[in-house]
Amino acid sequence: MLQIEIDGKQLSVEQGVTVIEAAHQIGTYIPHFCYHKKLSIAANCRMCLVEVEKAPKPLPACATPVTDGMVVHTHSPKAKQAQQGVMEFLLINHPLDCPICDQGGECQLQDLAVGYGNSASRYKEDKRSVAGKDMGPLVSAAEMSRCIHCTRCVRFTEEIAGMQEIAMANRGEFSEIMPFIGKAVETELSGNVIDLCPVGALTSKPFRYDARSWELSRRKTISPHDALGSNLIVQTKDHTVRRVLPLENESINECWISDRDRFAYEGLYHDGRLKKPKIKHGGEWRDVDWPTALEYVRHTLECIGKEDGQEQIGMWANPMNTVEELYLAKKLAEGLGIKHVATRLQQQDKRLSDGLKGAQWLGQSIEDFGNNDAILVIGANLRKEQPLLTARLRGAAKGGAALSVLGSSKEALHMPLFAQEVLHPNDWAGFLAGLAQDAQSAIANTLQQADKAAVVLGAEAQNHPDYTAIYAAAQALAAATGATLGILPQAANSVGADVLALDSGASIQEMLAAPKKAVLLLNVEPEIDVADGGKAVAALKQAQSVMAFTPFVSDTLLEVCDVLLPIAPFTETSGSFINMEGRLQSFYGVVKGLGDSRPLWKVLRVLGNVFALQGFEYGSSEQVLKDAVDADTLPEKLNNQAAWQSAGVQTASGLVRVGGVGIYHSDAIARRSAPLQATGHAAVPAARVHPNTLAALGLADGDMAQAVQGGAKLAVTVVADAHLPENVVYLPLHTENAALGALMNTIELARG
């Protein structure tokens, strides 16, 4: 440890710590712009100049490592003069447009100018003007004259997002920050450059001119868009969500959030929001009040139960619903004798679920996962499924971790990889079994030799028709190498659904094969949330009654349902999620409900009262949570080990559809967010196929073809992609192709 003195305070610090980091340890603030704790040191703004005894001139605190016996003065006359001089230079060309700047009120330059700037400028010449840039639908760079060239945005895209999409062109007074010519900023983490920008050069395009920072109320909540459980700050005005920002939590999302977390809120107020309960009568929809709608549900379920039996009632529940909502759904199902409840809406292989010993989870904390020395990821489209976890993996790989990937396509991960195996999904189980038997193979050896290692399964593996065989091989590999076996859950509360043991009776695929007479949809859009959306819609059309508890109305729901009950999205309800590491996180509603929408847990509670069931006397979601989950015993319910009877292989043959769910089509809110849908990630995908497979099908690059799957046909453009294995069709799930069959299943391509 080194002994140093900062502003008369003695402290001990480790070798390699910089002056600005040492000052932070004792609560001393040194003004800065370019420095950020998560980015490399640039030392180009010079705002952090401090006086160091025996040094001939002021030194930048961010780039000066401490030495034993160093004496630093951060606010001495010499340091203040240096800092004021830097501020004068920064303000020479900065436009005087604070009254119209979106960053006004939360601008770092504005704040520091008060303490370090002069009341008048000695510079009388014309200010420099820089043309605005087009960075796409999410980030506004219309006012680049405000840029002070701190290069935080440049370093973020290169170091954290992994792909440099912003750079500084030219030199000296002609320097400009810009995206690559003709290209938008496409990284799935791009919105973080808005938070990083210390001035008003980069701002949120959807939020632009919407509200002043001092007009907004700040509320904490948890992201419902993936299983990471990112901590968010939701800013509201007039009982509407206006902006979403990251809430720093080093153990989960650090200080970042994904664009899906940041911009999905725009979908909350889509024209499709359901504001009143509706009942279909004589083929026409009519608005009704809540008592009438709930009485309709009671009467319908009782009639079908008496006439056809409880076996003919099914419940489909979205695993992004809260713990409280899923617990009351289970309690209602038990009270009514409903035996068939499904939350694993995209999974096709039920056999594994019957042999699991507990809830599937990551197998370790998120921080520990990022600190593994060797990691094997199986069947995951990482950047789509887990954009922020991928950033953490990127940091681990750059730090020397041996990251191997087994997948159905060569995903551009923008990080150093030990191995990237691209195989047909039918070959995954055999490949993994071979690794388990041959510990000397390169991938198995890295897992075995590492002090900490992990084997994790992504969504494509979980949705594979032969998930059982893949899981068995992965479990055997983990056991043989001493690695931790983990799962990347597919929804915000997938772990919570497992902990509650909600799934029972027939699986979702069994309910599609043998349709029920009555189905309750809990926040489910069947055409896209369920594997084989076309088949799901067809099954619902055969039902006598379909009752949807939903925040949004859609053409499909209007067609297949006979009652629609408006429920609140996550911003309008309190609740809890259990994230991938098994952490229980609770949140409150941040705005009041839109129209007559109600939190689903309240709707289910009242429905229990309508049926006169016992145990539905809850006054708050906290009371429901207390009965649903014991936080002290929660870790005991997390177990990835499985034991099952050997069963026949169910692997699909022929052409197999891969590609996962589109990053901005993962949930109803994101699917309705106009800014997200305007990005390249949300564009209607072409069908990518290996050139040899295209030739065998009589197709060529750029041809129009008919994709046939699940009894549905769709015209698609085919694109040759030599990075794919043969006999797969890379066609991610999108609203435009949702009518096709299940992901990871057989698909046909024929000339259109």
Side-chain angles (χ1 to χ4, degrees):
M1 300 293 283
L2 306 178
Q3 302 297 316
I4 67 167
E5 179 184 311
I6 299 179
D7 293 341
K9 297 178 181 179
Q10 298 287 335
L11 69 154
S12 299
V13 296
E14 295 180 354
Q15 183 82 33
V17 170
T18 61
V19 171
I20 199 169
E21 292 168 339
H24 180 72
Q25 292 179 20
I26 59 172
T28 297
Y29 177 76
I30 297 176
H32 60 275
F33 292 112
C34 68
Y35 169 78
H36 190 277
K37 62 182 179 181
K38 295 290 184 180
L39 303 176
S40 62
I41 295 169
N44 54 6
C45 78
R46 319 306 282 185
M47 191 65 215
C48 64
L49 291 175
V50 294
E51 180 184 358
V52 178
E53 288 190 3
K54 300 181 181 179
K57 60 182 181 180
L59 301 176
C62 68
T64 303
V66 298
T67 57
D68 199 32
M70 177 183 278
V71 179
V72 180
H73 303 284
T74 67
H75 293 89
S76 66
K78 186 175 182 180
K80 288 277 286 185
Q81 183 183 19
Q83 292 160 0
Q84 287 170 349
V86 170
M87 178 59 70
E88 183 176 20
F89 280 124
L90 288 174
L91 294 178
I92 279 177
N93 279 313
H94 200 80
L96 302 175
D97 60 352
C98 293
I100 64 161
C101 179
D102 260 20
Q103 201 84 338
E106 50 188 13
C107 172
Q108 200 172 340
L109 180 65
Q110 194 177 57
D111 294 341
L112 292 181
V114 173
Y116 300 91
N118 296 321
S119 58
S121 174
R122 293 182 289 172
Y123 187 80
K124 302 303 180 185
E125 289 76 13
D126 292 338
K127 287 181 178 287
R128 175 187 182 221
S129 178
V130 180
K133 308 296 187 294
D134 183 7
M135 290 192 179
L138 304 180
V139 179
S140 172
E143 308 290 348
M144 292 307 290
S145 294
R146 301 170 184 161
C147 178
I148 61 170
H149 303 155
C150 70
T151 69
R152 280 182 175 183
C153 56
V154 176
R155 285 174 284 148
F156 173 83
T157 59
E158 182 178 10
E159 298 166 12
I160 307 298
M163 178 172 61
Q164 186 177 357
E165 296 184 296
I166 304 174
M168 183 181 289
N170 306 320
R171 301 188 66 184
E173 66 173 316
F174 302 106
S175 298
E176 293 183 42
I177 297 290
M178 61 176 65
F180 288 99
I181 296 173
K183 294 194 175 183
V185 179
E186 286 288 328
T187 171
E188 58 279 2
L189 306 176
S190 67
N192 290 291
V193 301
I194 299 167
D195 301 330
L196 287 170
C197 185
V199 295
L202 302 179
T203 55
S204 168
K205 190 169 282 188
F207 177 69
R208 191 168 163 81
Y209 300 136
D210 192 22
R212 289 295 189 187
S213 60
W214 55 84
E215 299 173 326
L216 300 170
S217 299
R218 297 163 60 89
R219 302 287 185 268
K220 299 177 183 178
T221 192
I222 305 298
S223 167
H225 302 296
D226 59 41
L228 192 73
S230 296
N231 289 205
L232 308 178
I233 293 174
V234 176
Q235 297 188 322
T236 67
K237 179 184 176 184
D238 299 332
H239 291 288
T240 57
V241 175
R242 301 301 180 91
R243 184 165 60 167
V244 175
L245 301 173
L247 175 61
E248 185 170 350
N249 187 327
E250 193 62 29
S251 61
I252 298 178
N253 56 296
E254 301 176 272
C255 56
W256 319 116
I257 55 174
S258 68
D259 287 352
R260 183 166 56 191
D261 293 335
R262 185 183 300 270
F263 298 109
Y265 75 91
E266 286 279 313
L268 292 170
Y269 305 108
H270 187 269
D271 291 341
R273 267 301 292 271
L274 182 63
K275 299 176 183 177
K276 290 182 177 294
K278 293 178 179 289
I279 293 177
K280 187 187 289 183
H281 185 74
E284 294 186 2
W285 284 99
R286 297 179 181 176
D287 291 345
V288 297
D289 57 21
W290 272 102
T292 302
L294 294 176
E295 179 58 27
Y296 180 92
V297 173
R298 183 198 66 78
H299 177 74
T300 302
L301 290 178
E302 284 187 349
C303 287
I304 292 177
K306 288 177 182 177
E307 293 176 7
D308 302 293
Q310 307 304 117
E311 280 286 333
Q312 286 300 315
I313 303 176
M315 182 183 288
W316 304 357
N318 195 321
M320 74 176 287
N321 290 329
T322 65
V323 170
E324 294 83 351
E325 292 163 351
L326 294 178
Y327 174 72
L328 288 180
K330 179 181 181 180
K331 200 166 186 177
L332 182 68
E334 292 173 345
L336 298 179
I338 299 173
K339 299 178 176 62
H340 306 294
V341 182
T343 65
R344 301 182 182 104
L345 303 180
Q346 291 284 352
Q347 289 191 18
Q348 301 182 71
D349 187 358
K350 181 190 176 186
R351 297 170 298 164
L352 176 68
S353 305
D354 297 333
L356 288 170
K357 297 181 179 180
Q360 291 189 297
W361 66 304
L362 186 59
Q364 57 194 305
S365 73
I366 293 168
E367 278 192 298
D368 287 344
F369 181 67
N371 291 328
N372 279 290
D373 302 308
I375 302 168
L376 171 61
V377 180
I378 303 161
N381 291 287
L382 280 171
R383 290 173 58 197
K384 292 180 185 176
E385 294 174 32
Q386 303 293 341
L388 265 187
L389 190 69
T390 303
R392 194 179 281 267
L393 279 176
R394 186 172 292 117
K398 287 183 174 181
L403 177 62
S404 303
V405 177
L406 169 62
S408 60
S409 61
K410 190 172 183 179
E411 185 180 10
L413 293 171
H414 309 303
M415 65 180 86
L417 298 176
F418 177 78
Q420 187 170 25
E421 299 289 342
V422 181
L423 300 175
H424 192 288
N426 294 359
D427 298 331
W428 291 353
F431 179 80
L432 293 171
L435 292 182
Q437 294 166 8
D438 182 10
Q440 297 308 308
S441 62
I443 295 175
N445 189 52
T446 61
L447 296 172
Q448 195 167 38
Q449 297 301 318
D451 292 333
K452 287 182 61 180
V455 174
V456 292
L457 294 155
E460 285 203 326
Q462 295 168 50
N463 297 336
H464 195 288
D466 202 17
Y467 180 34
T468 302
I470 295 171
Y471 196 97
Q475 183 171 300
L477 175 61
T481 58
T484 300
L485 180 65
I487 303 296
L488 297 178
Q490 297 185 59
N493 203 29
S494 293
V495 179
D498 272 6
V499 166
L500 295 171
L502 196 64
D503 287 73
S504 61
S507 68
I508 189 68
Q509 292 301 316
E510 290 169 336
M511 281 193 263
L512 299 190
K516 301 300 178 185
K517 294 290 181 66
V519 179
L520 290 86
L521 302 177
L522 305 186
N523 199 12
V524 172
E525 296 192 301
E527 72 276 19
I528 193 166
D529 287 333
V530 178
D532 204 337
K535 194 173 180 181
V537 172
L540 294 176
K541 286 180 179 179
Q542 297 180 49
Q544 291 180 19
S545 178
V546 178
M547 293 150 276
F549 301 71
T550 175
F552 300 99
V553 65
S554 67
D555 291 341
T556 300
L557 293 180
L558 289 173
E559 182 181 7
V560 303
C561 297
D562 50 304
V563 61
L564 299 174
L565 304 173
I567 61 171
F570 78 108
T571 51
E572 298 167 20
T573 182
S574 56
S576 309
F577 295 133
I578 300 177
N579 74 349
M580 63 171 61
E581 66 178 3
R583 182 186 299 229
L584 178 69
Q585 298 187 105
S586 297
F587 57 91
Y588 295 103
V590 300
V591 291
K592 66 181 181 181
L594 189 65
D596 285 341
S597 63
R598 299 287 185 270
L600 179 56
W601 73 265
K602 288 187 177 182
V603 177
L604 295 173
R605 181 204 65 192
V606 175
L607 199 53
N609 299 150
V610 170
F611 279 102
L613 300 176
Q614 297 297 313
F616 281 81
E617 297 77 27
Y618 295 107
S620 67
S621 62
E622 289 85 356
Q623 293 175 0
V624 181
L625 180 63
K626 188 176 180 181
D627 284 355
V629 175
D630 181 352
D632 294 332
T633 62
L634 177 57
E636 301 170 11
K637 298 184 178 181
L638 308 174
N639 193 334
N640 286 329
Q641 294 304 305
W644 57 86
Q645 299 295 322
S646 60
V649 175
Q650 295 185 0
T651 298
S653 58
L655 279 180
V656 172
R657 181 184 177 190
V658 302
V661 179
I663 184 172
Y664 300 142
H665 290 85
S666 57
D667 62 83
I669 301 173
R671 288 192 285 265
R672 288 170 172 81
S673 170
L676 292 182
Q677 297 307 313
T679 65
H681 291 292
V684 178
R688 289 165 46 200
V689 187
H690 191 279
N692 293 346
T693 305
L694 276 183
L697 294 171
L699 296 168
D701 185 24
D703 282 353
M704 289 298 296
Q706 287 287 332
V708 183
Q709 192 185 22
K713 289 185 178 181
L714 182 72
V716 296
T717 302
V718 293
V719 175
D721 188 343
H723 295 299
L724 291 170
E726 294 187 29
N727 296 317
V728 304
V729 177
Y730 184 92
L731 185 62
L733 183 63
H734 186 284
T735 51
E736 295 299 317
N737 61 39
L740 292 175
L743 296 166
M744 307 305 292
N745 219 324
T746 304
I747 189 172
E748 296 176 22
L749 282 181
R751 183 172 295 279

